[in-house]
Amino acid sequence: MNYFPDEVLEHVFDFITSHKDRNSVSLVCKSWYKIERYSRQRVFIGNCYSISPERLIARFPGLKSLTLKGKPHFADFNLVPHDWGGFVYPWIEALAKSRIGLEELRLKRMVVSDESLELLSKSFVNFKSLVLVSCEGFTTDGLAAIAANCRFLRELDLQENEVDDHRGHWLSCFPESCTSLISLNFACLRGEVNLGALERLVSRSPNLKSLRLNRAVPLDTLQKLLMRAPQLVDLGIGSYVHDPFSEAYNKLKIAIQRCKSIRSLSGFLEVALHCMSAIYPICGNLTFLNLSYAPGLHGNKLMKLIQHCRKLQRLWILDCIGDKGLGVVALTCKELQELRVFPSDPFEAGNAAVTEEGLVLVSAGCPKLNSLLYFCQQMTNAALITVAKNCPNFIRFRLCILDPIKPDPVTNQPLDEGFGAIVQSCKGLKRLSLSGLLTDQVFLYIGMYAEQLEMLSIAFAADSDKGMLYVLNGCKKLRKLEIRDCPFGDAALLEDVGKYETMRSLWMSSCEVTLGGCKSVAEKMPSLNVEIIDESEQMEFNLDDKQKVDKMYLYRTLVGHRKDAPEYVWIL
Amino acid sequence: MAFEKDLNLDATELRLGLPGSSDESAKNQTPATLRSNNKRALPEESMSSNATASKNCDQETAPLPKAQVVGWPPIRSYRKNNLQPKKSEGEISGIYVKVSMDGAPYLRKIDLKVFKGYPELLKALEEMFKFKAGEYSEREGYNGSEFVPTYEDKDGDWMLAGDVPWEMFTNSCKKLKIMKGSEARGLGCV
C-alpha cells in the first residue's frame, strides 16, 4: 500500500482536515494509522465518557486542540440532574501531566471548576484558545487565572455559561504584555467589569476581531471601544440605552461608521428603541444578526433595522417579530440560510407571535434556507408541505410548537404528512426535531426517507413501539436519538441492540422501557454504558424488573463504567 | 391572512394529563399512549388553577405560568433565565432613591431616571437641600465646598457620586447622602 515515504503521506494528510475523513484515513491500514496519529493535531470527542484522557494522550501525542462534550443534550432543558457528570478536571489533569502542548480547548455542557481553569492556565505554555459553551461550575476567579497566566491567549469565548460572577477584576488580570487577543466574548457574565481595564485591553489588542460585551458595559464605553477597534468583524453590544440627543450618542454614530468590517452583530441586552438608527450604516454588510436576547426590540423599529440587512445569512430573533416581521425578512434577506425564532414568552402560549404563516413566507422568499429552529404557536400540514417544496435544502429542521401535542388547527389532523413532506424533499437532512400531534406514521416516513439523518429529537409523539422501530431500522446514519414522553417500550428498545454501538447515544425519558429491558441491553452489549437516572428513592427500595424507568441514557464507550457517577445514577 | 384569534384555552393548555384525554377532537387514543404513572414532579402544579384567570388580567408582575411540563418548551435554561421581560416604551418605571443630608429634619426621594447626567442631578439636589456642591474633578473629587454628594452602591459601599458613568451609577445607586465637611474628608473634599 505504501509507495511513498511517510513524510509524503503526512504532507498529504495535512490537507485532510475534517474529523470524519481523518478517522477514515486511520482505518485504511496499520501504517496509515500510525502516520495519521502522529500528525493529528485536532481531536473531537462528542461524549467525554466514550474514551479516557490517557488513551487520547497515548494515541495522539501531537494533540494541540481538543473539543469535548459532556452532558446529554436534554440537560439543556433541566432533564438531567445537576451533578450528573461531565467534569473536565480529570482531562486537564491528565493532559497537564503529559507532554501534550495543548493550545486550544473547546468544551460544551461540561462542569468546569475554577481549579481546572487555574491548572489549565498554568500547564500549557502555548495555550491560545478557550471556548466554553453551556458550561457551569466556574467563577470569575477562574477567568482571572486564565487572563493572568496564558501569555499568548488569542481567544476567550464564553457562550451561555452559568458563571458565578464575583465581580472581581478578572479583566484587569490580563497583563500589559498581553497583546495577542483576537476574540473576547464575555456577554454571559452578569457582573460589572472594570471599564478602564477593558478599554486599555482593547487598545493594546490590534488583532482583536471579535468582541462581545455584557450588559454592564454602557453605551459610552462602547463608543470608546469602537474608536479603538475599528477593525472588528464581530460585535456583541451590551447595554444600548442612551439619550439620542446626547454627545455620547453622536460620538457613537461616528465610531460605528468607522467600523466597516463588522459582519456579525449580537447582544443589545438592554436596548432603547430610539437609538437604533446609529446601527443602520453597518447593517448592509451584516451576515449574522442575533437579536434573540433583545425583547425590547420589536415593532416598526425592528422591521426598519431588518430592512437594512440585505446580505444577512443567519438571523436569530425573538417571536415578537411576528408573522408580519418574518414577511419583511422574506422580502429583504435573500441570502438567508439559517433562521432561529425563539419564544419571547415561553409559557404564555397564547401570546406567541409566530405561526405557520411566517414560516411559509420565509420559505418562499429565501430559497437558500437550510437551517431552521422555529418556536411557534401552531403549524399546519399544508404549510409544511409548502415549505418542503420551497426549500429542499434543509440540513437542520427543528420545529417546536409550544403546545407539544397540538394538531393541525385547520384540519385537526396530526402533522405526520407535513413532516413526511420535509423528510422526503430534503434529501440532505441531518438533524430533525419534531413536535405537535404525531402518530407512528411520521416515523414510517422518517425511516423511509431520512437517509442522511444523524440526530432526531422526539417528544410526546407516536402510538406504539412501531414508531421507534421504523426509525432504528430505517435511519442508517443515525448517531443521536433522544426521546421523551413517548409510548416506546422494551420491544422497541431490544429489537436491535447492536444498532446502539453504531450511534453515539440514546436518551429515553418518561417512556415505557422497564428496568428489565435496560438490564437486558447492558447484558448483551458490554460496549455500552446503560445509565438509569432516578432521583426518587424508588431504585433503592424497589428493584423490580417490571418497573418503568424514568430516565435512561445509554452510550457507546471504550472504557467501561465511569467512576464519577452520583448516587442516583445506576450504571447497569 | 388573519389567523384564528379565538383563544381556545382547552386545546392549547399545557397539561400534565394524557395526550388527547378530555380533548374533544377526533383522534382516539389507543391504550398504548396512556401512561399509567407519570412520575414527573410539577413544581407549578398548584398554580394551574390560576392559569385561566391569569390569561385575562393585565399584570404588572410576572404572569403566573400555566401548568408546566418539565423541560418544555425546550429552551436552554440560560436563555430562560436571562431573557428580560420586554417593557413597552414609556412604561419603564422610575428609579426612586432616598436622599438624606446631615442636619436635615427628614429625607427626600428623587427619581434618577428623570436626569440625563450628573450636572442635572447635582443641580436638583442643590435646590432641594439648599447647598452648593463645588467643582468635580476625577482627581480631587468635589472642590470648593463643604458638601459632597455620596451614594451607597449595591455592595453596600459609600461612594463619591460622579466617578462612574451615569448609567452605571443609576443601576447601582441604592441611596444618596449629602455628606458634610469633616465626615467627607476621606472622599477627596478639600
Side-chain angles (χ1 to χ4, degrees):
Chain A
M1 191 68 195
N2 265 358
Y3 304 127
F4 305 108
D6 287 2
E7 303 82 61
V8 174
L9 276 175
E10 197 180 308
H11 184 63
V12 172
F13 292 172
D14 274 348
F15 293 98
I16 302 172
T17 48
S18 99
H19 294 293
K20 256 169 99 176
D21 290 342
R22 289 208 71 123
N23 292 345
S24 303
V25 157
S26 69
L27 293 174
V28 168
C29 63
K30 279 200 184 127
S31 80
W32 279 39
Y33 176 89
K34 193 181 101 191
I35 298 167
E36 197 283 321
R37 74 175 256 257
Y38 279 112
S39 61
R40 176 103 78 146
Q41 294 187 341
R42 315 180 66 87
V43 175
F44 169 88
I45 296 177
N47 174 4
C48 64
Y49 291 118
S50 60
I51 191 70
S52 71
E54 289 75 25
R55 285 182 65 160
L56 170 74
I57 293 164
R59 181 171 170 190
F60 300 115
L63 181 68
K64 289 208 163 69
S65 162
L66 176 62
T67 302
L68 277 174
K69 292 189 179 181
K71 300 185 199 182
H73 177 230
F74 275 2
D76 281 351
F77 319 132
N78 293 336
L79 288 177
V80 176
H82 204 61
D83 42 353
W84 168 87
F87 307 103
V88 79
Y89 189 83
W91 290 85
I92 297 179
E93 194 182 22
L95 287 162
K97 286 197 188 126
S98 75
R99 303 170 104 208
I100 300 271
L102 193 69
E103 294 184 11
E104 177 178 276
L105 187 61
R106 309 168 75 95
L107 306 176
K108 187 168 184 180
R109 273 185 228 109
M110 294 201 70
V111 178
V112 181
S113 61
D114 283 345
E115 288 73 36
S116 8
L117 290 178
E118 195 169 335
L119 182 59
L120 176 70
S121 73
K122 291 185 174 156
S123 308
F124 307 103
V125 170
N126 281 321
F127 192 75
K128 295 192 172 71
S129 169
L130 180 63
V131 179
L132 303 177
V133 180
S134 288
C135 295
E136 49 162 355
F138 60 104
T139 76
T140 43
D141 293 346
L143 297 178
I146 297 287
N149 302 323
C150 301
R151 291 177 26 205
F152 304 113
L153 194 70
R154 288 196 199 156
E155 180 176 22
L156 179 59
D157 185 0
L158 309 171
Q159 297 176 32
E160 300 194 336
N161 303 288
E162 296 286 358
V163 185
D164 205 357
D165 198 327
H166 293 166
R167 258 179 286 154
H169 300 283
W170 68 275
L171 258 181
S172 321
C173 292
F174 281 104
E176 288 299 317
S177 54
C178 175
T179 57
S180 46
L181 271 183
I182 298 180
S183 168
L184 178 63
N185 172 7
F186 61 93
C188 65
L189 295 185
R190 288 182 219 182
E192 280 162 16
V193 289
N194 186 326
L195 299 177
L198 176 60
E199 286 172 41
R200 287 188 295 277
L201 179 62
V202 170
S203 298
R204 64 177 185 274
S205 304
N207 297 319
L208 193 68
K209 291 281 187 295
S210 169
L211 179 64
R212 297 194 185 187
L213 310 167
N214 76 348
R215 191 175 262 128
V217 180
L219 199 101
D220 55 347
T221 304
L222 172 66
Q223 173 263 121
K224 289 185 199 151
L225 295 172
L226 292 179
M227 289 301 285
R228 287 166 169 79
Q231 75 282 1
L232 283 179
V233 171
D234 169 28
L235 173 65
I237 291 179
S239 171
Y240 196 72
V241 180
H242 219 285
D243 175 356
F245 301 110
S246 68
E247 187 54 35
Y249 184 63
N250 281 328
K251 286 193 194 162
L252 177 72
K253 281 202 248 195
I254 297 169
I256 290 187
Q257 281 175 353
R258 292 177 71 225
C259 297
K260 302 206 184 300
S261 304
I262 293 183
R263 298 286 173 271
S264 160
L265 188 61
S266 61
F268 296 95
L269 306 175
E270 267 178 4
V271 59
L273 278 182
H274 36 264
C275 300
M276 295 314 291
S277 55
I279 304 288
Y280 295 162
I282 52 170
C283 287
N285 287 324
L286 290 180
T287 56
F288 177 40
L289 179 61
N290 180 356
L291 299 175
S292 63
Y293 284 100
L297 206 46
H298 54 276
N300 287 330
K301 287 283 158 70
L302 174 59
M303 314 269 197
K304 250 191 123 181
L305 183 69
I306 303 253
Q307 278 168 331
H308 283 85
C309 302
R310 308 203 137 263
K311 291 202 189 146
L312 219 51
Q313 293 173 15
R314 296 165 61 212
L315 175 63
W316 294 19
I317 196 91
L318 288 170
D319 64 2
C320 43
I321 191 176
D323 287 332
K324 213 174 108 191
L326 288 177
V328 173
V329 172
L331 287 173
T332 312
C333 309
K334 296 300 179 189
E335 300 299 309
L336 197 69
Q337 295 174 29
E338 175 178 320
L339 175 66
R340 296 195 190 191
V341 181
F342 294 95
S344 48
D345 207 349
F347 304 112
E348 283 292 302
N351 293 336
V354 298
T355 69
E356 75 277 10
E357 290 175 21
L359 183 59
V360 169
L361 288 172
V362 174
S363 75
C366 309
K368 295 188 185 180
L369 197 63
N370 62 36
S371 176
L372 181 75
L373 173 60
Y374 198 73
F375 285 82
C376 58
Q377 158 84 316
Q378 61 183 47
M379 185 53 58
T380 64
N381 283 311
L384 285 174
I385 291 168
T386 305
V387 169
K389 222 177 356 185
N390 292 338
C391 297
N393 298 318
F394 274 115
I395 299 175
R396 270 170 245 110
F397 192 89
R398 297 156 69 188
L399 188 72
C400 178
I401 303 169
L402 290 171
D403 175 350
I405 49 167
K406 194 172 164 113
D408 178 329
V410 172
T411 63
N412 245 341
Q413 293 299 301
L415 292 176
D416 301 333
E417 297 306 309
F419 280 107
I422 295 285
V423 292
Q424 199 173 355
S425 163
C426 305
K427 309 221 185 299
L429 193 68
K430 288 193 180 167
R431 183 171 179 180
L432 178 64
S433 300
L434 308 168
S435 61
L437 189 65
L438 296 163
T439 72
D440 286 343
Q441 185 71 5
V442 71
F443 299 103
L444 174 68
Y445 292 140
I446 292 173
M448 262 170 73
Y449 296 114
E451 291 176 7
Q452 303 301 318
L453 196 65
E454 295 180 6
M455 182 170 177
L456 179 62
S457 309
I458 312 172
F460 303 100
D463 309 312
S464 73
D465 284 334
K466 281 202 273 189
M468 186 166 165
L469 288 171
Y470 290 140
V471 171
L472 291 176
N473 290 331
C475 300
K476 301 289 176 220
K477 297 207 176 169
L478 197 64
R479 293 191 298 120
K480 286 184 278 183
L481 180 58
E482 44 185 30
I483 305 170
R484 62 164 295 181
D485 294 273
C486 294
F488 302 141
D490 293 341
L493 181 67
L494 294 170
E495 165 89 359
D496 178 10
V497 291
K499 169 94 177 166
Y500 306 133
E501 215 177 34
T502 69
M503 292 166 53
R504 183 187 298 171
S505 64
L506 168 66
W507 168 282
M508 292 180 75
S509 59
S510 304
C511 295
E512 303 288 304
V513 294
T514 68
L515 182 57
C518 296
K519 279 187 187 170
S520 201
V521 177
E523 250 173 62
K524 294 184 182 153
M525 300 292 298
S527 57
L528 301 177
N529 276 354
V530 180
E531 296 193 6
I532 308 294
I533 300 166
D534 193 327
E535 285 178 293
S536 74
E537 283 169 7
Q538 272 188 77
M539 288 289 293
E540 296 275 0
F541 302 113
N542 182 9
L543 288 176
D544 176 9
D545 276 5
K546 289 204 267 300
Q547 170 191 321
K548 300 238 175 71
V549 157
D550 191 29
K551 293 172 185 167
M552 178 205 72
Y553 179 52
L554 65 78
Y555 51 89
R556 66 181 177 190
T557 177
L558 291 174
V559 289
H561 290 187
R562 60 183 174 116
K563 308 279 184 301
D564 62 359
E567 286 188 330
Y568 53 80
V569 171
W570 279 263
I571 308 182
L572 301 178
Chain B
M1 266 191 281
F3 62 93
E4 193 74 36
K5 282 222 165 18
D6 177 32
L7 290 175
N8 189 354
L9 295 172
D10 284 336
T12 58
E13 188 180 317
L14 286 178
R15 300 153 82 226
L16 230 210
L18 316 163
S21 62
S22 85
D23 189 353
E24 241 88 283
S25 67
K27 186 168 192 323
N28 278 327
Q29 292 295 314
T30 63
T33 61
L34 301 178
R35 282 186 295 293
S36 48
N37 51 339
N38 196 320
K39 298 173 222 148
R40 266 179 276 105
L42 243 221
E44 279 87 11
E45 200 176 8
S46 58
M47 293 191 189
S48 60
S49 56
N50 291 327
T52 328
S54 73
K55 272 219 76 62
N56 297 324
C57 67
D58 227 13
Q59 309 104 307
E60 296 292 310
T61 53
L64 289 171
K66 291 179 165 182
Q68 292 169 34
V69 175
V70 172
W72 194 269
I75 307 171
R76 265 187 197 165
S77 344
Y78 174 87
R79 183 173 282 283
K80 263 197 279 209
N81 297 338
N82 284 280
L83 202 58
Q84 305 249 287
K86 67 175 186 226
K87 301 172 199 161
S88 41
E89 278 178 272
E91 273 180 21
I92 300 171
S93 54
I95 304 175
Y96 279 92
V97 296
K98 290 183 192 172
V99 193
S100 62
M101 177 155 115
D102 309 319
Y106 49 79
L107 279 65
R108 302 295 304 271
K109 258 208 164 154
I110 55 168
D111 178 2
L112 294 179
K113 267 261 182 298
V114 170
F115 307 106
K116 296 207 173 75
Y118 289 109
E120 286 166 33
L121 170 66
L122 285 170
K123 202 154 158 281
L125 290 175
E126 285 170 341
E127 274 174 29
M128 207 183 250
F129 288 96
K130 309 280 182 279
F131 72 99
K132 275 258 161 246
E135 277 289 313
Y136 171 78
S137 73
E138 205 180 284
R139 256 188 49 197
E140 294 176 349
Y142 287 89
N143 231 327
S145 161
E146 255 204 289
F147 296 97
V148 179
T150 67
Y151 69 99
E152 187 184 1
D153 76 353
K154 282 187 190 151
D155 294 328
D157 300 317
W158 281 98
M159 318 285 293
L160 183 71
D163 286 334
V164 300
W166 177 250
E167 250 82 41
M168 195 180 254
F169 165 72
T170 56
N171 282 333
S172 53
C173 170
K174 277 172 45 190
K175 55 166 99 141
L176 282 161
K177 181 168 167 176
I178 318 290
M179 282 194 190
K180 213 168 126 174
S182 44
E183 246 187 274
R185 192 126 330 222
L187 293 169
C189 170
V190 170

